Amino acid sequence: MKQSPASVLLSILLLVSAAGAHAAGAGEENLQLPEDVLPQLRPLLEQAMRQSPRVLERNLDLQQAEADAYVARSSSLPYAGGGVTYQGQRERQVNGSGATDARTTNGERLYYNFAVTQAVWQWGALEAARRMSRIDRDLAQMNYGEAYRGLAAEIRAAYLGLVLQKMGVRNAELDNRLATENLSRQQARYSANQITYGEIMLQQLRLDEASLAMRRAKAELEFALGAFRSLCGDASFAETDVPDAIGDIAQAPLVSPVAASSAADLSTAVQMAEKEVAKAKLGVVAPRFALFPRVGLVAGVVRDELSRDIIENRKYQADTLYAGVQVNWAIFDGYASKGQLLAARIRLSRAERRLSVLREATTRVLDRDRAAVGFTWDAYQVAQMRLRMAREGLAHQNEEAGRGLASQEQVDAAQSHVFVSQYSAQAALATHLNAAVQYLSSKGMDPVVRSAVPQR
């Protein structure tokens, strides 16, 4: 069967793309990101990493985690406190002969104490609390990095979407202009009694549809611009800041397969799940030994001062300094510790199950993201070939029109087909760039996130 030159060229391009992806098995990865083909995006990403409302909210989450860490560590740190009591007293003393011999005295009493206590031994609960505090800080930092990763991917996708929507507005304006010009030509033909009024009505309906599509495309672009301004925290971002097209990519992507043993090490979700398991194991310690005796150190000072007016200048004062060991032992707490222990073991079971599921799914997800890079690249090559064929068709129609063998409607249709094919090629390229972002993010290799978030 004879093949056209275009189909032969397309087959060659796909074979070269597949060979390049296969050769990447033992080589370095080479992936183009949106900011590599759209330099205007890079400063927007850097700006969003500093002032986006979502980043500011994640900063508050990180500070909240730091505050919670102080509470978690408090049980293993010394506690110091005391109190002061001042009382005015009135005593009425009655002897055995009756109330007639009663004596009333006025006095004052001052009492204060100050003590320092330090927990020493609680069957591992103190060390568990300290380790849980460190895990919470690590998890907060990892969540912070995940928020950055999600924000960077969302900003890239939104920016690519703005480019496509701006191109869609251009195409809608072209369709509206062509429909207007075609209606004018048909009206001239109707005036010359060459067509019926029904043809005029049909062309008017096409113009109304094109006008509606144009107005809708402009409104959707304006809504998207507002959402992008809010996402980046940049109120001055305008339509003129959006480029007309995405730069083409000439080199095929090179991606390396990831071994199943190292896939979990690359996954932030798996690392966070491992920390959750470790935290859940530590969470079992405190309720398990809640009814065991607890040992601590205590030291303090007490003053008890009492003065009475029975005898002039009579004053009693006792100063006490003390230090020692105290043992607290809760014998029965109404099965509260038993319920807490059961809940802690359930949390541990859930954390272990979630880790097992994540470990099993991580390799599949990473393989899927890796395959998506190759598939979207091939789809982009197909769209590029269709665009090339559409441009060749437009050139052919222009030549035919120059020789009087093609009408203006045919030329307009070929021009519209070029714009549609260009939009399809740009959409395929945007899909490929988003797939590259997703793949690098899954591996924890997003350069924007790695530079913005301190590595552990």
Side-chain angles (χ1 to χ4, degrees), residues 58-274:
R58 295 288 82 79
N59 282 331
L60 293 177
D61 291 342
L62 192 61
Q63 295 175 18
Q64 182 67 48
E66 290 292 337
D68 293 339
Y70 285 107
V71 178
R73 293 194 304 267
S74 62
S75 60
S76 60
L77 296 177
Y79 172 80
V84 177
T85 301
Y86 174 80
Q87 298 175 345
Q89 297 180 342
R90 183 179 180 87
E91 295 183 2
R92 185 168 180 270
Q93 301 178 356
V94 180
N95 58 23
S97 59
T100 56
D101 295 331
R103 292 185 304 172
T104 301
T105 61
N106 297 319
E108 296 178 345
R109 184 175 187 180
L110 175 64
Y111 176 88
Y112 70 82
N113 70 88
F114 177 81
V116 178
T117 59
Q118 170 65 62
V120 175
W121 178 252
Q122 294 184 4
W123 306 93
L126 297 175
E127 176 62 22
R130 287 191 291 265
R131 293 174 61 184
M132 289 174 66
S133 173
R134 291 193 292 267
I135 291 176
D136 283 335
R137 288 202 308 271
D138 292 341
L139 286 172
Q141 185 68 31
M142 297 173 80
N143 281 319
Y144 188 60
E146 284 296 285
Y148 264 87
R149 183 192 66 79
L151 178 63
E154 188 173 349
I155 290 175
R156 288 162 169 147
Y159 193 77
L160 293 173
L162 286 176
V163 177
L164 293 177
Q165 287 182 296
K166 186 175 181 180
M167 186 174 292
V169 170
R170 183 205 64 181
N171 291 356
E173 290 175 341
L174 172 68
D175 291 341
N176 184 72
R177 179 176 63 82
L178 294 179
T180 302
E181 294 174 354
N182 190 49
L183 178 61
S184 299
R185 287 193 296 268
Q186 298 302 326
Q187 287 174 340
R189 294 179 62 189
Y190 175 73
S191 299
N193 295 322
Q194 297 177 354
I195 59 173
T196 64
Y197 185 73
E199 290 292 331
I200 295 297
M201 291 300 298
L202 180 60
Q203 298 302 323
Q204 181 64 53
L205 286 175
R206 290 176 178 174
L207 176 59
D208 292 342
E209 292 173 348
S211 175
L212 175 61
M214 180 184 67
R215 288 184 285 115
R216 178 176 293 175
K218 289 183 177 180
E220 290 177 352
L221 175 59
E222 188 59 35
F223 292 151
L225 283 170
F228 189 78
R229 295 187 191 104
S230 177
L231 184 64
C232 294
D234 184 1
S236 62
F237 187 82
E239 181 180 348
T240 54
D241 298 323
V242 180
D244 296 328
I246 306 172
D248 292 330
I249 298 178
Q251 186 177 0
L254 302 179
V255 290
S256 302
V258 179
S261 58
S262 61
D265 297 334
L266 298 173
S267 173
T268 303
V270 171
Q271 296 173 16
M272 295 177 67
E274 291 174 343

Side-chain angles (χ1 to χ4, degrees), residues 357-423:
V357 172
L358 280 176
R359 283 187 176 277
E360 182 182 355
T362 295
T363 304
R364 294 198 307 269
V365 171
L366 200 56
D367 286 342
R368 181 200 62 190
D369 294 341
R370 176 178 176 272
V373 173
F375 292 146
T376 55
W377 173 258
D378 292 343
Y380 172 56
Q381 298 306 300
V382 172
Q384 284 286 83
M385 179 57 65
R386 290 190 178 276
L387 174 60
R388 190 175 307 170
M389 294 172 63
R391 287 170 175 168
E392 292 174 356
L394 176 60
H396 175 71
Q397 291 296 334
N398 284 325
E399 292 176 359
E400 292 293 299
R403 292 194 295 265
L405 300 178
S407 65
Q408 184 61 42
E409 287 81 1
Q410 291 174 312
V411 174
D412 291 345
Q415 178 65 67
S416 179
H417 183 56
V418 168
F419 278 12
V420 171
S421 299
Q422 185 182 17
Y423 180 87

